[in-house]
């Protein structure tokens, strides 16, 4: 395993390999940057094909968290943990407590929360042995709990900003939005869009989820393979990553791509492809920052739940700034966002 030679290695400050024979824990904690504050980012539980793949994921995701946290104006650097699963993996209380001890050993340089494969319940177990954890059960009136509604609200504000910038519309009334994936994030996004008067087109593997959107928000379900190529004012990927690529981009019949999925661009060139096609792309880690804003407010205990909603609203103006810089420099929005994030981190460092 060659950490320094890994293509995702980007001057990471520290990488911790955690092993515990008693519980079977194998985990990697990658700290990309603490320039802006403790390196914050969730823990992913995943069955990786190899330890190399796990390391690559931890390095890649922790760099992404540095950018996301910087662009959300948080006093957080970027970090990420992966717990390496396996077919006979046993997520015992003892394993999560042991993981918490490793997080504790980093003495606050890394703050964890949930990501794929984790839950509020599991984070409560991790929290038995470390103070440096968020994403716990919500206390009345305080920030915390499931971040999805806040994530979706930020995406909604981002879509409004994109529509204002690209189409000149001050309202979502009568506009159409194609939403790929109506799980946690997609569901709440549909709710906000419906309340604002938008027409919804949706697709999901899970028919019951599509039906729920049809029943509650008058959405129209379409086949999985057709959602991205809908003739719609906005396409909002809210399921998987890598959905914007050299195959899908020529098929798009929209002028705005703005959704919550992480890592929507298959490669950096896809940002340029969208730009060249005249499609306004809202960089994913900026538009979906509502969840981490919620986590930061919970961790620092510096905001009421109402104040967190206000902080999430700032995603709209933040994106407008990126769109304007892209228009004045001719650079893709994805490049502008990366440059802004790197600048913020470098200035702090
Ligand atoms: P989820 O698992 O609740 O929902 C994802 C939905 O997408 C599921 O209903 C699934 O059936 C559907 N889906 C999967 N592949 C699909 C496909 N090819 N076509 C159509 N539907 C498909 O996950 P969640 O929490 O809603 O997250 C969605 C995306 O947003 C992920 O990329 C996640 O990383 C990202 N995200 C989530 C945040 C949160 O607060 N939950 C925060 C930031 C990003």
């Amino acid at each position: 395993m060659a950490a320094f030679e890994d293509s995702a290695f980007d001057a990471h400050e520290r990488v911790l390999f955690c092993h515990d024979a008693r519980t079977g824990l194998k985990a990697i904690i990658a700290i990309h940057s603490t320039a802006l504050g403790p390196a914050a980012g969730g823990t992913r539980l995943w069955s990786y094909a190899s330890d190399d793949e796990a390391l690559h994921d931890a390095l890649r995701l922790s760099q992404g968290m540095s950018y996301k946290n910087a662009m959300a104006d948080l006093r957080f650097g970027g970090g990420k943990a992966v717990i390496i699963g396996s077919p006979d993996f046993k997520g015992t209380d003892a394993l999560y407590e042991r993981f918490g001890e490793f997080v504790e050993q980093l003495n606050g340089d890394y703050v964890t929360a949930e990501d794929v494969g984790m839950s509020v319940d599991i984070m409560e177990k991790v929290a038995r042995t470390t103070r440096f954890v968020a994403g716990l059960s919500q206390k009345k009136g305080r920030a915390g709990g499931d971040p999805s509604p806040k994530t979706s609200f930020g995406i909604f504000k981002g879509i409004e900003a994109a529509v204002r910038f690209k189409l000149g519309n001050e309202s979502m009334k009568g506009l159409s939005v194609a939403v790929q994936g109506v799980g946690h994030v997609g569901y709440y996004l549909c709710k906000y869009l419906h309340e604002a008067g938008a027409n919804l087109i949706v697709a999901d593997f899970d028919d019951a989820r599509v039906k729920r959107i049809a029943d509650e928000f008058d959405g129209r379900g379409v086949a999985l393979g057709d959602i991205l190529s809908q003739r719609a004012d906005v396409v909002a990927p809210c399921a998987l990553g890598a959905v914007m690529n050299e195959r899908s981009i020529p098929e798009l019949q929209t002028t705005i791509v703005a959704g919550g999925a992480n890592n929507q661009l298959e490669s950096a060139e896809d940002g340029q492809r969208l730009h060249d096609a005249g499609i306004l792309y809202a960089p994913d880690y900026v538009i979906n920052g509502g969840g981490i804003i919620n986590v930061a407010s919970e961790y620092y205990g510096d905001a009421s739940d109402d104040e967190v909603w206000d902080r999430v609203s700032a995603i709209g103006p933040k994106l407008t700034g990126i769109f304007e810089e892209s228009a004045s420099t001719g650079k893709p929005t994805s490049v502008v966002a990366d440059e802004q994030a790197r600048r913020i981190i470098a200035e702090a460092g």
Side-chain angles (χ1 to χ4, degrees):
M1 200 188 294
F4 296 127
E5 278 101 60
D6 190 292
S7 60
F9 182 77
D10 174 44
H12 284 68
E13 288 177 16
R14 205 179 333 173
V15 181
L16 179 70
F17 293 86
C18 318
H19 178 248
D20 183 61
R22 185 175 57 89
T23 57
L25 173 73
K26 275 203 229 166
I28 301 173
I29 302 175
I31 295 181
H32 176 251
S33 166
T34 55
L36 290 167
T43 297
R44 178 168 291 192
L45 168 59
W46 195 253
S47 265
Y48 291 97
S50 66
D51 293 350
D52 279 331
E53 194 184 283
L55 173 65
H56 182 75
D57 216 24
L59 293 172
R60 184 180 66 86
L61 293 167
S62 56
Q63 184 213 40
M65 287 310 302
S66 285
Y67 289 12
K68 181 183 284 203
N69 293 337
M71 292 305 281
D73 297 325
L74 300 175
R75 287 176 286 140
F76 271 159
K80 199 89 183 180
V82 298
I83 295 180
I84 301 174
S86 63
D88 57 353
F89 176 81
K90 288 194 187 56
T92 56
D93 286 20
L95 181 142
Y96 294 123
E97 288 165 8
R98 187 73 187 101
F99 174 68
E101 285 172 9
F102 281 109
V103 173
E104 184 67 21
Q105 278 173 13
L106 290 168
N107 219 9
D109 277 351
Y110 170 64
V111 176
T112 195
E114 53 267 78
D115 190 57
V116 177
M118 304 297 271
S119 64
V120 172
D121 264 8
I122 296 178
M123 296 326 292
E124 296 281 357
K125 293 172 186 172
V126 173
R128 289 176 193 158
T129 48
T130 183
R131 298 159 286 167
F132 307 114
V133 56
L136 306 173
S137 323
Q138 189 167 15
K139 318 271 179 312
K140 203 172 175 335
R142 307 301 302 172
D146 174 15
S148 307
K150 306 265 186 359
T151 301
S152 307
F153 186 63
I155 299 163
F156 172 67
K157 289 285 153 195
I159 289 177
E160 280 188 328
V163 156
R164 197 174 301 122
F165 187 82
K166 187 78 182 174
L167 307 177
N169 287 42
E170 285 301 323
S171 141
M172 292 301 299
K173 212 169 170 47
L175 297 184
S176 54
V177 183
V179 183
Q180 182 188 43
V182 282
H184 287 92
V185 168
Y187 171 81
Y188 288 108
L189 176 61
C190 287
K191 176 174 182 286
Y192 298 130
L193 289 167
H194 176 67
E195 286 166 3
N199 301 317
L200 300 169
I201 309 164
V202 299
D204 197 295
F205 278 125
D206 187 337
D207 292 339
R209 290 186 171 173
V210 173
K211 184 170 181 313
R212 191 173 171 205
I213 302 295
D215 292 348
E216 294 183 25
F217 311 131
D218 208 15
R220 177 165 64 86
V222 297
L224 288 174
D226 294 341
I227 188 72
L228 296 177
S229 57
Q230 288 297 306
R231 192 178 294 278
D233 294 298
V234 181
V235 165
C238 294
L240 310 168
V243 288
M244 290 297 135
N245 51 52
E246 59 183 329
R247 294 155 326 272
S248 63
I249 293 170
E251 304 291 321
L252 292 173
Q253 300 205 52
T254 186
T255 55
I256 298 172
V257 172
N262 273 316
N263 304 318
Q264 288 169 41
L265 304 180
E266 189 173 281
S267 69
E269 292 81 60
D270 296 310
Q272 184 73 49
R273 275 195 190 94
L274 287 165
H275 183 77
D276 292 346
I279 295 167
L280 184 67
Y281 168 64
D284 45 17
Y285 62 81
V286 182
I287 196 170
N288 72 15
I292 193 73
I293 292 173
N294 191 53
V295 163
S297 310
E298 174 190 351
Y299 183 73
Y300 286 116
D302 63 352
S304 67
D305 197 47
D306 287 346
E307 286 163 331
V308 180
W309 290 104
D310 288 345
R311 289 179 184 179
V312 173
S313 294
I315 288 174
K318 171 78 65 180
L319 280 166
T320 302
I322 292 171
F323 300 153
E324 285 169 351
E325 191 176 326
S326 166
S328 65
T329 59
K331 294 178 185 173
T333 52
S334 51
V335 172
V336 171
D338 284 358
E339 286 178 356
Q340 287 190 7
R342 280 198 287 268
R343 204 158 49 232
I344 293 168
I345 295 164
E347 279 166 11

